[in-house]
């Protein structure tokens, strides 16, 4: 039986993914050195020749796979998605199909070969991001997104570029990734834009990637591996980016399998001058909001050119870590609840445990709809301390100075001062 509207019946089991709920995205590549958005090659219309200086200077000398693995594991994340190749076309592994690869830079090491075992060692599941778009490959037809879109001599090469050769290259690189680096749990392709039309060129989509072939390769080589939906074949994990849906996602009467991907400062690659950092509290609220709506949360970090996760990301990671240490069970293995959460709150639920996440601390009381007679016990998750609650009492004489409780509701009695926790959580034990 189909569980999710966008997940074919013959696709693998998704339990590890929906149980995990939280992953870390890592954007790392030549754009890391430019340090001004991972799209600057095309934003600034830089030709592959002029972009080559980043290739020649790529040397993240302080990179330490075990350090990344520990820092990421410590956030509370259960999986990672790492960029093997972004739109710039640079391969972060020792591909045999191109000279444009990490082992030909001053760094000279196969980063993927170091990273994946380190991630697995700390128990993280492995996701690989792979760009369908390639602004370096000489056979990739130039379109309106390409850095050389306004360069006449470049555009003239389009009649010599054969899409089939690029498709073979893409298929070949994906095959390498799925055969030479052990078990891959999640493949994250990026992205299709067939609806775009610039007059002299159009966007690219499933047919241009020969997505059916890529999908078959994925299914054959890694039968248990999950796939996102950016091939545009109409199925796979949906990945809204830098956007929070306002309700649980449903299609054709079934829930949608989805993952919100979010940045900490608005860009994916390391961006030195961009200081629009979301606070740890804001990030955590987004994460909780996502789980309350039935999605996973993929939080990005863009390590810097020395190979270090920057201070701002680390500070946020640390706060997430402290929160997860105490509140893990309100997220992991949890999903949305049928109950309607009060204002400024989100519910997540796992069986008969209902978790109330309080985003804005109210004074004294909080009213919970439709829970009369359904609760056995309530406690704060941060310290396991009991929370008193009461329901409507028909015997009670209502005066204007007392709490007003609707017959189906209950009222939690809260301390005036909020618990010292980024987002306080009350664990409600429901009657079986
Ligand atoms: C986007 C962007 C990109 C980023 C990604 C993450 O579509 O092209 O730079 O890697 O998706 O969701």
């Amino acid at each position: 039986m189909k569980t999710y509207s966008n997940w074919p019946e013959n696709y693998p089991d998704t339990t590890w993914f929906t149980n995990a709920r939280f992953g870390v995205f890592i954007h790392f590549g030549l754009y890391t050195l430019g340090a001004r958005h991972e799209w600057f090659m095309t934003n600034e219309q830089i030709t592959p020749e002029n972009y080559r200086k980043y290739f020649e200077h790529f040397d993240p000398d302080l990179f330490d796979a075990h350090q990344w693995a520990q820092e990421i594991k410590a956030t509370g994340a259960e999986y990672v998605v790492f960029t093997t190749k972004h739109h710039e076309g640079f391969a972060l592994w020792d591909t045999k199909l191109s000279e444009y690869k990490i082992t030909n830079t001053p760094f000279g090491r196969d980063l993927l070969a170091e990273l994946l075992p380190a991630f697995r060692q700390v128990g993280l599941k492995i996701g690989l991001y792979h760009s369908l778009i390639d602004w370096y490959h000489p056979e990739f037809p130039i379109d309106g997104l390409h850095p050389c879109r306004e360069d006449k001599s470049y555009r003239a090469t389009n009649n010599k570029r054969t899409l089939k050769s690029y498709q073979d290259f893409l298929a070949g690189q994906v095959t390498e990734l799925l055969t030479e680096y052990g078990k891959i749990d999640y493949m994250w392709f990026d992205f299709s834009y067939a609806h775009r039309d610039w007059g002299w060129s159009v966007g690219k989509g499933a047919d241009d990637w020969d997505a059916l072939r890529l999908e078959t390769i994925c299914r054959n080589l890694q039968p248990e591996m999950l796939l996102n939906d950016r091939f545009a074949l109409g199925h796979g994990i949906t990945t809204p980016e830098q956007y929070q849906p306002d309700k649980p996602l449903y299609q054709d009467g079934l829930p949608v399998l989805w993952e919100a991907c979010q940045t900490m400062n608005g860009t994916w690659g390391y961006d030195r001058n961009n200081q629009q950092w979301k606070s740890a509290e804001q990030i955590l609220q987004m994460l909780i909001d996502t789980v309350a709506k039935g999605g996973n949360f993929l939080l990005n970090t863009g390590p810097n050119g020395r190979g270090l996760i920057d201070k701002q990301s680390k500070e946020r990671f640390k706060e997430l870590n402290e929160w997860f240490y105490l509140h893990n069970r309100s997220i992991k293995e949890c999903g949305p609840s049928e109950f309607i959460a009060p204002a400024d709150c989100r519910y997540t639920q796992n069986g008969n445990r209902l978790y109330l996440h309080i985003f804005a601390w109210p004074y004294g009381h909080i009213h919970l709809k439709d829970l009369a007679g359904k609760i056995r016990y309530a406690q704060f998750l941060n310290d396991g301390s009991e929370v008193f609650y009461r329901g409507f009492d028909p015997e009670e004489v209502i005066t204007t100075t007392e709490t007003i409780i609707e017959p189906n509701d209950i009222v939690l009695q809260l301390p005036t001062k909020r618990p010292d926790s980024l987002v306080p959580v009350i664990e409600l034990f429901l009657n079986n």
Side-chain angles (χ1 to χ4, degrees), residues 56-199:
E56 284 160 6
H57 293 93
F58 186 82
D59 191 12
D61 57 328
L62 298 178
F63 167 75
D64 176 344
H66 294 285
Q67 198 178 329
W68 280 20
Q70 268 155 21
E71 283 169 3
I72 289 166
K73 179 67 183 175
T75 59
E78 303 282 342
Y79 64 101
V80 278
V81 178
F82 177 72
T83 49
T84 53
K85 176 192 89 163
H86 205 266
H87 309 333
E88 64 184 6
F90 174 70
L92 282 101
W93 77 101
D94 189 18
T95 176
K96 291 172 195 64
L97 302 175
S98 162
E99 53 71 48
Y100 205 46
K101 58 176 174 181
I102 196 157
T103 40
N104 286 342
T105 65
F107 182 63
R109 287 147 56 186
D110 182 333
L111 192 123
L112 206 61
E114 296 181 29
L115 206 48
L116 300 197
F119 283 153
R120 290 189 190 108
Q121 212 181 348
V122 296
L124 290 163
K125 295 264 189 201
I126 308 288
L128 298 182
Y129 167 107
H130 195 72
S131 176
L132 298 162
I133 299 169
D134 195 316
W135 296 326
Y136 178 82
H137 200 276
E139 302 290 353
F140 183 89
I142 294 171
D143 59 29
L145 286 189
H146 197 283
C148 304
R149 60 190 171 276
E150 280 170 26
D151 184 320
K152 287 212 175 63
S153 59
Y154 254 100
R155 256 161 76 164
T157 63
N158 255 358
N159 51 24
K160 289 195 223 82
R161 293 176 178 240
T162 46
L163 186 59
K164 176 74 174 82
S165 311
Y166 177 66
Q167 290 169 349
D168 292 344
F169 169 75
L170 195 52
Q173 284 205 325
V174 170
T175 303
E176 283 184 348
L177 291 171
L178 300 183
T179 48
E180 291 168 24
Y181 292 89
K183 187 165 193 284
I184 308 299
D185 303 290
Y186 184 12
M187 197 72 199
W188 216 101
F189 289 100
D190 191 36
F191 65 79
S192 297
Y193 51 110
H195 62 287
R196 300 293 300 271
D197 187 346
W198 296 272

Side-chain angles (χ1 to χ4, degrees), residues 25 27 38-39 86-87 129 188 190-191 230 241 261 268:
F25 213 164
H27 275 69
E38 74 288 348
W39 273 55
H86 205 266
H87 309 333
Y129 167 107
W188 216 101
D190 191 36
F191 65 79
R230 294 194 182 184
E241 68 180 63
C261 44
W268 303 92

Side-chain angles (χ1 to χ4, degrees), residues 342-393:
D344 301 323
C345 295
R346 297 292 184 282
Y347 277 139
T348 61
Q349 193 169 347
N350 181 3
N352 64 1
R353 302 282 180 100
L354 180 64
Y355 297 98
L356 175 71
H357 300 78
I358 306 170
F359 288 2
W361 194 248
Y363 167 65
H365 302 99
I366 208 163
H367 290 246
L368 306 181
K369 286 251 151 277
D370 299 322
L371 281 169
K374 294 185 178 151
I375 294 180
R376 236 172 345 117
Y377 188 69
Q379 65 177 0
F380 278 114
L381 207 47
N382 62 299
D383 64 356
S385 62
E386 182 176 12
V387 175
F388 287 138
Y389 57 92
R390 64 194 181 96
F392 170 73
D393 180 356

Side-chain angles (χ1 to χ4, degrees), residues 1-4 7-12 219:
M1 217 189 54
K2 235 174 123 120
T3 319
Y4 296 99
W7 201 247
E9 274 172 77
N10 63 350
Y11 260 38
R219 303 284 291 111

